[in-house]
Amino acid sequence: MHQPRSRPPRHRLSALDNKVSPYLFVAPFFVLFGAVGLFPLLYTAYVSLFDWELGADETTFVGLDNYRTLFTDSQFWNALFNTFSIFLLSSVPQVIVAVVLAALLSANLRARTAWRMGVLLPYVASLVALTIIFGNLFGPQFGLVNSVLTTLGIPPVDWQANTFGSHVAIASMVNWRWTGYNALIVLAAMLAIPREVHEAATVDGAGALRRFFSITLPMLKPTLIFVIVTSTIGGLQIFTEPKLYDPAGGSGGGAEHQYQTVVLYMYQSAFQQLDLGYASSIAWTLFLIVIAVAGLNFWLTRRAVR
């Protein structure tokens, strides 16, 4: 009997290369994710179980006491209410306007490229400059918005002291910055829809609105899910806009915390009150809330857009 011939070393190395190389190519991402993403997340959960003050020599294990204190903290619940209020005032109109804007940009317009580039300008603008501009627009005494309201016979609003007014002002900044960005994502998905589908519907007598609701929206479902989920994640972690909206630049969110968000409260607890354990419990609670709300939005979007 003939013994099976062993493969030459070169063939064995080639087979090993085919098996190992794909893992080596994707390894940098997982190494970076573990170093700057997963490890801080897990370490934050560890810190939340301690009475851990910044600069302290010793830490005390307290278990879930930070979470128990958090759930009875009225300032946390106020910050959570402010976060959801600003989130709803920004994300819901933002997605709707982004879809409408994408539909307009997909039409046969003159200088279409210029219009498409133009809607992205608020996104690339400096956020600090944007906040200063909107702070002046919503100024309580000489702001343009109050001047328009006064002209229409409506009493002026103190956009910083009023809880709902401050939420509207901050949501306006978010919408101005992110609507064009989301519109371009939706536009890319619209342009990827085969033209033959619309042509067949037109031959069957479907009008523009019927084609939009019966063809375009259902075929945009994966993109809409992406936009809604990312808007949810970003909206519930809002930090820069409310922080810069405060004239004093503090993290209290106004004199009565009327627009303090959860992330602002976490920042205040960690770097002003120096309580890292309590701030970590806020961070993990917000993390679980974001996952729950994003999952709910994913489920609702899948059911609504068919």
Side-chain angles (χ1 to χ4, degrees):
M1 296 179 62
H2 294 283
Q3 295 290 336
R5 296 177 59 184
S6 61
R7 291 189 297 176
R10 185 180 63 180
H11 291 177
R12 290 200 297 268
L13 288 176
S14 178
L16 182 64
D17 178 63
N18 291 334
K19 291 181 179 179
V20 176
S21 294
Y23 297 99
L24 293 179
F25 288 137
V26 299
F29 164 77
F30 288 101
V31 171
L32 289 175
F33 173 74
V36 303
L38 186 60
F39 173 74
L41 181 66
L42 298 178
Y43 191 68
T44 302
Y46 170 76
V47 173
S48 70
L49 303 177
F50 289 82
D51 182 8
W52 194 311
E53 293 187 4
L54 188 64
D57 296 330
E58 297 181 358
T59 58
T60 305
F61 179 78
V62 295
L64 299 177
D65 283 355
N66 284 326
Y67 293 93
R68 296 190 186 97
T69 303
L70 181 66
F71 292 142
T72 58
D73 186 352
S74 60
Q75 188 172 347
F76 168 74
W77 291 109
N78 174 71
L80 187 62
F81 167 78
N82 293 338
T83 301
F84 271 94
S85 176
I86 296 172
F87 161 67
L88 292 175
L89 289 171
S90 59
S91 295
V92 175
Q94 180 185 137
V95 173
I96 296 174
V97 175
V99 174
V100 175
L101 194 58
L104 294 175
L105 292 175
S106 66
N108 293 323
L109 299 174
R110 291 185 178 180
R112 285 185 298 179
T113 303
W115 285 108
R116 293 171 183 177
M117 292 176 59
V119 298
L120 198 61
L121 290 178
Y123 174 73
V124 300
S126 168
L127 185 56
V128 176
L130 183 66
T131 308
I132 293 174
I133 292 172
F134 272 82
N136 290 326
L137 288 175
F138 287 95
Q141 295 181 348
F142 306 106
L144 178 61
V145 177
N146 273 343
S147 298
V148 173
L149 293 179
T150 304
T151 303
L152 297 176
I154 302 174
V157 178
D158 192 339
W159 296 100
Q160 290 180 341
N162 183 278
T163 299
F164 182 73
S166 62
H167 295 181
V168 171
I170 294 171
S172 299
M173 299 182 212
V174 178
N175 288 333
W176 177 260
R177 185 164 188 253
W178 288 99
T179 300
Y181 173 84
N182 288 326
L184 289 184
I185 294 177
V186 177
L187 174 63
M190 282 186 179
L191 297 179
I193 298 175
R195 184 179 300 177
E196 293 80 5
V197 179
H198 285 282
E199 291 176 350
T202 303
V203 171
D204 290 339
L209 286 178
R210 181 60 183 271
R211 294 198 306 271
F212 180 77
F213 286 103
S214 299
I215 296 175
T216 304
L217 278 184
M219 298 188 74
L220 287 178
K221 182 170 72 171
T223 304
L224 290 178
I225 290 175
F226 171 79
V227 169
I228 290 173
V229 170
T230 54
S231 298
T232 300
I233 295 172
L236 293 178
Q237 297 182 90
I238 186 171
F239 171 76
T240 308
E241 288 86 351
K243 181 170 177 58
L244 295 178
Y245 188 64
D246 192 338
S251 56
E256 299 180 357
H257 309 299
Q258 63 267 22
Y259 52 90
Q260 184 182 53
T261 61
V262 174
V263 179
L264 271 178
Y265 186 40
M266 178 184 67
Y267 178 87
Q268 183 183 56
S269 300
F271 300 109
Q272 292 182 356
Q273 301 172 358
L274 307 181
D275 193 345
L276 295 183
Y278 193 64
S280 297
S281 67
I282 297 174
W284 254 87
T285 303
L286 179 62
F287 171 69
L288 296 177
I289 291 173
V290 168
I291 290 178
V293 176
L296 177 62
N297 281 341
F298 175 79
W299 180 77
L300 291 175
T301 306
R302 290 191 62 183
R303 290 182 61 88
V305 183
R306 293 184 180 277

